[in-house]
């Protein structure tokens, strides 16, 4: 369509905009097919969300379903989680369905406007006869049908229904327009993959009934079908002049008429003569067609339920006709491969050869593409007998050989012809100048002014050459058609004059005339260089029909590349041929100047680039297979030569056999990568393909795959605690070290930076699997595909045993650590940083295991495990908060907590109430505390258990970085201090010193723990508590005051949780604490837990609640302890320091525990005392 005319013609412009929107919608459908959420397709994911995901049956019981979700808190949380994670993608899918419906409504409105005469110069009839409008009218309706069919192919019906219902529920029902029509249009059709039959299931009369859900004007459809049936609407026959190629020339409109016929079932069912005419013209020798961008349909299968269509096909297509077609195509295939082989050699297609043989070259191109298209499409037939006949004498290797030869030939011809067009005027001018020069020389010679060896003056000859000289000077390139006719006349006259005796006897004159004729011939051929030839080349070489089929030949291409890496130079032409798929979907977008051009172009270009990556991935795969041999050599103990070596040790380091094997391996690697590194950068669509970048990306993919496989296979730790984790980690360390050494060894041979790639991909691998594990605990999932570019660098996913809760080796390793350090089965000794089994008294886990993990998995793996613990503890604290909320749904429990908090934190009530009243109150508190302890104790211990492992890992990392990177560590620490200092100065300019610095300067923060107003109080406690008891307690707290505190989530809004924590602490330390083992013993369950778990659990939870809650925690514990002492002993005993007093050790532990938390959280003692309402008189 001429752009100027298009702007002046409002009617055509409107229709073009609608068609361009259709092309954009089709691109969006094909883009989003790869982003269907897994929860709609994977059974295990669907089972989890099945109670909140519904199909269209939801509308029948809408209120019932919603009520079930509202009444169940777990379902509400799951529903909210699903909405947060998937609403954006659901909205994008719904927009596709909505835009398809809007498209057909807009199209119908346009045709109605034409019918009512809004566009004066147009009616439907003259639009279908207009050269600039008829193909747009046909395309507009065809695109709607193609949209419906492609949507049903790539987004299965059940999935569509669930997506629409999910969006309907989450977006607000009142905000959705046309929901009834959209539900009707996109209800499941029954088309899809049948698991039992292992083939695509297609309902009867499909897709006619599907199309009838929104009926179109039948009169309009009949006129459109008639126009396509009777005309060549795209003028393709000019590119395929041979009658044998007629069905291929009309291939595009054959796809259109195939789709459009389903809108009128009468045509397919009863119009015998018309269907026979359609089949004879469009489907006489092909029955598998591409409906859009390579998505093909077998019309034998689709038309078998329609009588007229079936009868027409049976007359034309039979086993005998298929055999004839297969035999002819096979003969042509072999013949064409031989013809095209000669064009492989560089220089064969040169300027003169193209100018002399352009027609024959185009004929070869046509024949090649016709044969190629026939095979690539017809091999997808659903008729097994037909497929066997076609496959009988042809292989995939033959077809790829023809494709490579054809692509290479097309590319060279196209490049040469483009060069000729660009230099056309220049060549014309040069030929004209050379001819003028020689004509002038001849004219001067016959005028007696030149001497070619013998002076001769001939006026007749002089006048002859002067006449042609003037004629030639008058030739203009702009009027090349007229000049071409005169050139032919001039050639004929020059040929005649050569026969004159005088000219024939003079070799020099004859040579001049021959040269002039040669230049004139060249000018004549240059005149015939037309842009139309390039258009024909583009039409003939179109490859969009094979975009889906070519995926089946990927392994064949890889085999050719593996056999000879130089084949990549021919495959490059195949990749450029693939770029022709951009022509069909983009042409209307460019004509309409659509804003979607960039988006659509980027999508199709990306698809081509991804295919190129997949083909070339065989090179990295082959490289890594050879790398395995290098790794094996390193695993066997290959010694690398040190910088300095003693003469006597040279023989030990020679290792000639191993070095020879290494040399062979790297030589093979260099051969594999030679071809891809020799390939130049190529522009495909709007994306430039850089072979070196593709090689590096492929190397990264294979490295990820290798590392993930090794981690998964070696760390096969199961629930059996007898598994030797130390041996597993040592083996992993050896294997990973060998892989790293081998990988870095080959870096120079494949032109990559091995160390950088190793570090980046190990980091990517660990972080991705860490986030994969974390997604189990997060309501708003981490989008791994976008964060780690999984489409470009796919991460291996392994099938884990059903009994395992982990999703990767990282989770498996952490679960095993938790299993062997289970608090009730082991005892932790902080002085040794070790866990010992309670049954065997043997060490099961210690700091050395953490160092083994760091050495085997690298700092990246260690960091990933560290983050994973944080995610687990976040989940534990979240569950604790949910437990608190759930338990407080009991109004009586909540009321009790409110009363306790009100009384116990009020100094006046505590100080001046009657003793019996307080005693009764605390008896209630004690009984309630026991119940709360049974509920919350395990959560607190679990949180402390995780924090203990995390603290040890923090210690391990800090020690390693101080030792291995001391300078860098010092710089980072100093920079951190400066940064924090600046922040504090800006926020608190009147307080330049760091709060709590005095406590940090004290070498042992527990030296003055027991000092108070009573000078004898310390002696009392010393008499009742042996020195070793205090030493054990100091071992418990030692060094943890400097460990990293993590804030996971804010739970300060749970006002009475701190009361619960204080009461649980009081109960456990007073009742269950055993000083001999420094443990909390659950006698009724015959279980004991190291005290450090409880302490770290309480401290971590308080850290999530803030300073105010921590002060309240202090206050409650002070008052609980005071009440116990006042009830257990008389005032006289307390004042006289009676030696018979038996103060529980748990109360002494409370002192140390509170002091440690006070120092760590930088709490002001005065604030604590004020809140408590009294100053402690004794410890």
């Amino acid at each position: 369509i001429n752009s100027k005319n298009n702007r002046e013609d409002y009617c055509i412009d409107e229709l073009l905009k609608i068609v361009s929107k259709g092309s954009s919608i089709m691109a969006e459908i094909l883009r989003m097919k790869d982003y269907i959420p897994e929860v709609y397709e994977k059974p295990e994911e669907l089972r989890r969300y099945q109670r909140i995901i519904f199909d269209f049956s939801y509308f029948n019981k809408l209120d019932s379903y919603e009520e079930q979700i509202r009444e169940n808190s777990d379902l509400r949380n799951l529903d909210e989680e699903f909405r947060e994670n998937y609403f954006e993608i659901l909205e994008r899918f719904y927009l596709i369905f909505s835009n398809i419906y809007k498209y057909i409504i807009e199209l119908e409105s346009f045709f109605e406007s034409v019918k009512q005469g809004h566009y004066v110069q147009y009616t439907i009839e003259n639009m279908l006869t207009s050269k600039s409008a008829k193909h747009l009218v046909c395309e507009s309706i065809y695109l709607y049908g193609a949209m419906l069919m492609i949507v049903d192919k790539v987004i299965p019906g059940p999935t569509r229904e669930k997506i629409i219902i999910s969006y309907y529920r989450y977006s607000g029902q009142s905000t959705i327009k046309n929901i009834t029509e959209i539900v009707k249009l996109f209800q499941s059709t029954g088309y899809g993959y049948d698991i039992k039959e292992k083939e695509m299931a297609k309902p009867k009369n499909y897709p006619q009934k599907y199309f009838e859900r929104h009926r179109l004007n039948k009169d309009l459809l009949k006129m459109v079908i008639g126009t396509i049936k009777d005309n060549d609407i795209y003028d393709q026959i000019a590119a395929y002049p041979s009658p044998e190629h007629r069905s291929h020339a009309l291939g595009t409109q054959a796809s259109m008429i195939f789709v459009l016929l389903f809108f009128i079932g009468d045509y397919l069912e009863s119009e015998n003569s018309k269907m026979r005419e359609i089949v004879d013209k469009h489907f006489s020798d092909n029955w598998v067609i591409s409906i859009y961008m390579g998505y093909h349909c077998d019309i034998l299968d689709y038309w078998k339920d329609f009588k007229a269509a079936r009868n027409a096909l049976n007359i034309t297509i039979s086993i005998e006709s298929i055999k004839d077609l297969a035999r002819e195509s096979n003969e042509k295939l072999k013949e064409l491969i031989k013809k095209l082989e000669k064009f492989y050699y560089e220089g064969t297609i040169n300027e003169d050869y193209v100018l002399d043989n352009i027609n024959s070259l185009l004929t070869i191109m046509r024949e090649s593409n016709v044969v190629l298209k026939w095979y690539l499409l017809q091999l997808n037939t659903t008729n097994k007998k037909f497929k066997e006949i076609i496959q009988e004498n042809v292989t995939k290797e033959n077809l790829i050989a023809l494709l490579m030869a054809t692509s290479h030939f097309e590319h060279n011809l196209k490049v040469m012809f483009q060069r000729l067009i660009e230099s056309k005027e220049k060549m014309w001018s040069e030929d004209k100048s050379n001819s003028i020069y020689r004509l002038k020389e001849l004219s001067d010679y016959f005028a007696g002014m030149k001497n070619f060896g013998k002076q001769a003056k001939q006026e007749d000859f002089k006048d002859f050459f002067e006449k042609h000289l003037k004629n030639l000077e008058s030739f203009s390139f702009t009027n090349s058609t007229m000049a071409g006719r005169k050139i032919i006349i001039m050639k004929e006259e020059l040929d005649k004059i050569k026969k004159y005796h005088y000219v024939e006897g003079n070799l020099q004159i004859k040579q001049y005339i021959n040269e002039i004729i040669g230049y004139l011939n060249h000018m004549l051929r240059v005149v015939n260089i037309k842009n139309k030839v390039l258009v024909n080349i583009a039409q003939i070489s179109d490859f969009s029909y094979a975009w889906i089929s070519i995926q089946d030949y990927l392994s064949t291409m890889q085999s050719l590349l593996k056999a000879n890496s130089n084949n990549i130079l021919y495959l490059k032409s195949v990749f450029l041929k693939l770029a022709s798929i951009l022509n069909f979907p983009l042409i209307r977008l460019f004509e309409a100047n659509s804003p979607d051009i960039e988006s659509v172009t980027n999508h199709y270009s990306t698809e081509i680039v991804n295919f190129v990556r997949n083909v070339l991935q065989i090179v990295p795969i082959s490289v890594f297979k050879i790398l395995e041999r290098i790794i094996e050599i390193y695993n066997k103990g290959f010694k690398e030569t040190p910088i300095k070596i003693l003469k006597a040790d040279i023989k030990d380091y020679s290792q000639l056999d191993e070095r020879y094997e290494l040399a062979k391996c790297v030589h093979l690697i260099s051969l594999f990568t030679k071809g891809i590194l020799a390939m130049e950068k190529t522009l495909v669509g709007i994306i430039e393909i850089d072979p070196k970048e593709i090689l590096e990306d492929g190397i990264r993919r294979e490295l990820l795959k290798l590392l993930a496989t090794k981690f998964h296979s070696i760390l096969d730790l199961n629930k059996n605690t007898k598994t030797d984790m130390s041996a597993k980690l040592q083996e992993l360390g050896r294997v990973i070290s060998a892989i790293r050494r081998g990988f870095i060894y080959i870096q120079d041979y494949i032109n990559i930076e091995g160390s950088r790639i190793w570090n980046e991909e190990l980091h990517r691998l660990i972080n991705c699997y860490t986030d994969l594990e974390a997604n189990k605990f997060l309501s708003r999932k981490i989008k791994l595909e976008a964060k780690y570019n999984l489409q470009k660098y796919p991460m291996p996913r392994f099938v884990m045993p059903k009994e395992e809760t982990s999703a990767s080796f990282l989770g498996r390793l952490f679960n095993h650590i938790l299993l062997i350090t289970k608090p009730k089965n082991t005892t932790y000794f902080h002085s040794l940083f070790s866990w010992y089994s309670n049954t065997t008294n043997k060490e099961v886990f210690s700091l050395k295991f953490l160092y083994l993990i760091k050495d085997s998995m690298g700092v990246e793996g260690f960091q990933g495990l560290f983050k994973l613990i944080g995610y687990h503890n976040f989940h534990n604290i979240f569950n604790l908060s949910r437990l608190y909320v759930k338990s407080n749904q009991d109004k009586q429990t909540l009321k009790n907590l409110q009363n306790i908090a009100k009384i116990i934190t009020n100094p006046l009530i505590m100080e001046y109430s009657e003793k019996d009243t307080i005693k009764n109150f605390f008896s209630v508190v004690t009984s309630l505390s026991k119940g709360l302890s049974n509920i919350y104790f395990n959560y607190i211990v679990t949180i402390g258990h995780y924090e203990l492992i995390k603290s040890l890992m923090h210690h391990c990392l800090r020690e390693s970085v101080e030792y291995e990177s001391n300078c860098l560590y010092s710089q980072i620490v100093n920079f951190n201090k400066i940064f924090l200092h600046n922040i504090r100065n800006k926020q608190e300019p009147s307080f330049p010193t760091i709060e709590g610095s005095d406590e940090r300067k004290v070498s042992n923060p527990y030296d003055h723990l027991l000092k108070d107003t009573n000078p004898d109080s310390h002696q009392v406690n010393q008499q009742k508590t042996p020195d070793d008891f205090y030493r054990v307690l100091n071992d418990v707290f030692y060094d943890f005051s400097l460990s990293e505190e993590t804030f996971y989530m804010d739970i300060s809004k749970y006002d009475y949780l701190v009361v619960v924590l204080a009461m649980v602490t009081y109960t456990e330390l007073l009742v269950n604490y055993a000083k001999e083992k420094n443990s909390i013993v659950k006698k009724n369950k015959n279980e004991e837990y190291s005290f450090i778990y409880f302490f770290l659990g309480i401290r971590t939870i308080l850290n999530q609640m803030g300073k105010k809650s921590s002060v309240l925690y202090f206050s409650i514990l002070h008052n609980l302890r005071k009440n116990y002492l006042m009830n257990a002993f008389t005032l006289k005993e307390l004042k006289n320091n009676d030696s018979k007093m038996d103060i529980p050790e748990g109360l002494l532990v409370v002192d140390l525990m509170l002091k440690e938390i006070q120092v760590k959280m930088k709490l002001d003692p005065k604030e604590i005392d004020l809140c408590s309402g009294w100053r402690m008189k004794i410890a």
Side-chain angles (χ1 to χ4, degrees), residues 1110-1143:
S1110 300
V1111 171
L1112 184 59
Y1113 175 81
F1114 271 72
S1115 171
I1116 296 171
L1117 271 184
H1118 274 306
N1119 285 314
L1120 289 172
R1121 183 177 56 175
K1122 173 190 174 183
N1123 172 72
Y1124 177 85
L1125 292 174
M1126 297 300 291
N1127 285 289
F1129 307 103
T1130 64
L1131 188 60
K1132 182 179 179 181
E1133 289 175 330
L1134 292 172
K1135 288 183 177 180
N1136 296 335
N1137 189 18
D1138 193 335
S1139 59
K1140 294 181 180 180
M1141 286 193 308
D1142 186 14
I1143 300 177

Side-chain angles (χ1 to χ4, degrees), residues 2 74 76 272 383 393 478 717 722 793 813 842 1033:
N2 184 278
D74 291 335
R76 285 200 310 272
N272 291 292
N383 189 307
N393 295 313
T478 56
L717 305 166
K722 296 181 180 179
Y793 306 108
L813 175 61
K842 292 182 179 179
L1033 290 178

